[in-house]
Amino acid sequence: MRDSPFITLYKLSLVFFFSYLTTFTITRKAMQTSDHVCDLPLAESYRALLYDPKMVQKYPYNQDHEVTRECELPLIDLSGLRSSDGEERRVCIEAIGKASSEWGFFQVLNHGISNELLGEMRREQMKLFRLPFEKKVSSRLLNDCYRWGNPTAISLKQFSWSEAFHVPLAKISDENCCYGEFSSLREVMEKLAAAMSELAHTLAGVLAQNLGYNRHGFPENCNKSTCFLRLNRYPPCPFSQKAFGLMPHTDSDFLTILYQDQVGGLQLMKDSEWVAVRPNPDALFVNIGDLFQAWSNDIYKSVEHKVVANGKRERYSIAYFFCPSYDSTIGSCKEPSLYKSFTFGEFRKQVQEDVKRCGQKVGLPRFLL
């Protein structure tokens, strides 16, 4: 005999109630036993989306964190770029171009940024994130560039279990930028931003040269007034089997340079499957952004990637985003172009409109001819 609609609704209500109660207990326990107390309101926001029957029905959540394998990204020794041997330099340039075409991601050694500077930045980053949540939100630190989760999310696939300081490089040296009690943070960030900028310009020039373009002056209008440094923290997550640390996306820039710890969690799309990226303590990670894919006429690939939450350990990373000015026209390295002409400002505006309208970024397909 089939249950009446009333009985079915009653059973569903019990399932939601006990699931909520169990999750609440797990959440409290996880927050109390983690290395650093996470006072972010992430769990409350996540539960509201997880146990709202109307939202679940309207925005079904079919998240699949299963990966087919762990991969080690192409590893490139950048000392080849500084070699007096022309053949060694050519091989290095070709390796960077090949990795950017086949993977959209690669890792680099001998990149010119010292382990001492990276370690110093990591220590400053950890001190910054240990501040209470309310202070991070209200103290105007780094001129109000603090972000957490995704307060506007209407479904779980839009929610990220993380917090970040997304800092425009121009603000780092601004005398009006608020550093609060972190007096040494400015100097460390200035040094890291300068080193990351130099590396980004070098890599962008190499990628342009690999396609037969004059590397000098390319890309134009990418400087400290247009680029960003993002300090990320991913707290331990009691919903780790279901939650994104950072939702799947591509980067809206020319390229990104990433320094991460050894916790792991970064995954990327390769051959239509999610693969886990093996951390490497000696390397920086580089990925191609949407703008380079458009400029290269799809020779270089801006690959979808995400971060999977960890149930026991917090994860830290630092990302440098190599961006042009908003009025810069992206163009193409050759004709006919696959994409209509657009400025970076137009691209960003379209991304924001799509996120607001349909909850996620559409990106380059909007600009295909």
Side-chain angles (χ1 to χ4, degrees):
M1 176 182 294
R2 296 180 61 184
D3 291 333
S4 69
F6 176 79
I7 295 297
T8 300
L9 181 61
Y10 176 73
K11 287 181 178 179
L12 283 173
S13 299
L14 286 177
V15 169
F16 276 113
F17 173 76
F18 285 111
S19 296
Y20 183 93
L21 187 63
T22 301
T23 307
F24 178 79
T25 303
I26 293 173
T27 304
R28 289 291 299 274
K29 185 177 180 180
M31 298 306 175
Q32 292 169 0
T33 58
S34 62
D35 291 340
H36 302 292
V37 174
C38 173
D39 62 342
L40 279 70
L42 290 169
E44 291 82 354
S45 299
Y46 193 92
R47 282 198 300 268
L49 295 170
L50 183 62
Y51 298 118
D52 185 334
K54 292 180 181 178
M55 286 297 184
V56 171
Q57 185 176 10
K58 188 175 181 180
Y59 302 100
Y61 184 59
N62 299 315
Q63 164 61 2
D64 182 8
H65 283 324
E66 183 178 349
V67 296
T68 56
R69 58 192 169 93
E70 184 181 55
C71 73
E72 187 166 346
L73 296 175
L75 182 63
I76 301 170
D77 186 344
L78 294 186
S79 62
L81 295 179
R82 301 183 290 272
S83 175
S84 58
D85 185 328
E87 178 63 15
E88 187 175 347
R89 193 173 187 284
R90 183 191 64 79
V91 169
C92 186
I93 292 173
E94 287 185 356
I96 293 172
K98 182 179 180 182
S100 299
S101 298
E102 295 181 358
W103 285 83
F105 268 79
F106 55 95
Q107 46 187 337
V108 293
L109 299 173
N110 293 312
H111 41 69
I113 303 178
S114 70
N115 289 333
E116 290 75 17
L117 177 56
L118 292 170
E120 194 175 359
M121 185 68 248
R122 175 58 46 77
R123 289 188 290 273
E124 292 289 339
Q125 177 185 15
M126 293 176 74
K127 287 192 294 184
L128 186 63
F129 279 115
R130 285 185 183 127
L131 283 174
F133 172 70
E134 290 301 328
K135 191 167 185 178
K136 284 180 283 195
V137 170
S138 62
S139 63
R140 292 185 51 79
L141 270 171
L142 300 175
N143 287 28
D144 285 333
C145 65
Y146 178 69
R147 308 284 185 268
W148 67 274
N150 183 0
T152 61
I154 56 175
S155 71
L156 292 178
K157 66 181 180 181
Q158 299 169 15
F159 192 85
S160 294
W161 192 275
S162 57
E163 58 178 331
F165 286 90
H166 192 75
V167 191
L169 262 57
K171 295 294 184 183
I172 295 175
S173 301
D174 189 334
E175 62 181 17
N176 296 317
C177 185
C178 176
Y179 283 86
E181 64 211 66
F182 303 97
S183 56
S184 58
L185 179 59
R186 183 198 301 268
E187 182 180 358
V188 179
M189 289 185 70
E190 284 178 338
K191 289 179 180 178
L192 183 66
M196 289 280 199
S197 295
E198 184 177 351
L199 176 58
H201 274 95
T202 297
L203 292 171
V206 165
L207 286 164
Q209 183 180 350
N210 183 60
L211 296 182
Y213 191 86
N214 183 359
R215 62 173 294 178
H216 297 292
F218 177 84
E220 297 178 355
N221 302 323
C222 287
N223 53 54
K224 76 173 190 176
S225 67
T226 62
C227 300
F228 296 85
L229 199 63
R230 185 179 177 95
L231 313 180
N232 299 303
R233 175 179 176 261
Y234 302 87
C237 175
F239 311 97
S240 60
Q241 296 303 310
K242 298 180 179 179
F244 291 127
L246 191 61
M247 58 191 282
H249 66 285
T250 58
D251 290 349
S252 301
D253 60 359
F254 273 109
L255 59 83
T256 304
I257 302 172
L258 178 73
Y259 171 57
Q260 62 173 348
D261 61 22
Q262 301 309 296
V263 173
L266 177 63
Q267 297 181 4
L268 59 88
M269 186 63 70
K270 175 65 172 169
D271 300 327
S272 302
E273 296 178 326
W274 286 109
V275 296
V277 175
R278 186 179 302 135
N280 184 339
D282 300 317
L284 293 178
F285 292 77
V286 181
N287 67 276
I288 299 299
D290 297 334
L291 305 187
F292 237 138
Q293 176 168 326
W295 182 86
S296 70
N297 250 9
D298 283 0
I299 294 175
Y300 300 143
K301 301 299 189 295
S302 180
V303 175
E304 191 175 25
H305 53 285
K306 64 183 179 181
V307 175
V308 176
N310 189 296
K312 298 180 179 179
R313 301 177 65 187
E314 61 182 355
R315 176 182 185 268
Y316 287 94
S317 70
I318 301 168
Y320 176 90
F321 297 97
F322 193 53
C323 304
S325 61
Y326 274 33
D327 60 355
S328 295
T329 300
I330 303 309
S332 174
C333 67
K334 61 181 180 180
E335 298 295 338
S337 175
L338 297 174
Y339 298 91
K340 64 183 78 171
S341 179
F342 62 88
T343 66
F344 182 44
E346 290 168 340
F347 184 77
R348 291 286 298 165
K349 182 180 179 182
Q350 183 64 60
V351 168
Q352 291 164 1
E353 289 177 355
D354 286 334
V355 169
K356 186 175 181 180
R357 181 171 56 252
C358 57
Q360 61 186 13
K361 170 184 174 179
V362 177
L364 285 179
R366 290 285 192 203
F367 295 88
L368 283 168
L369 288 172

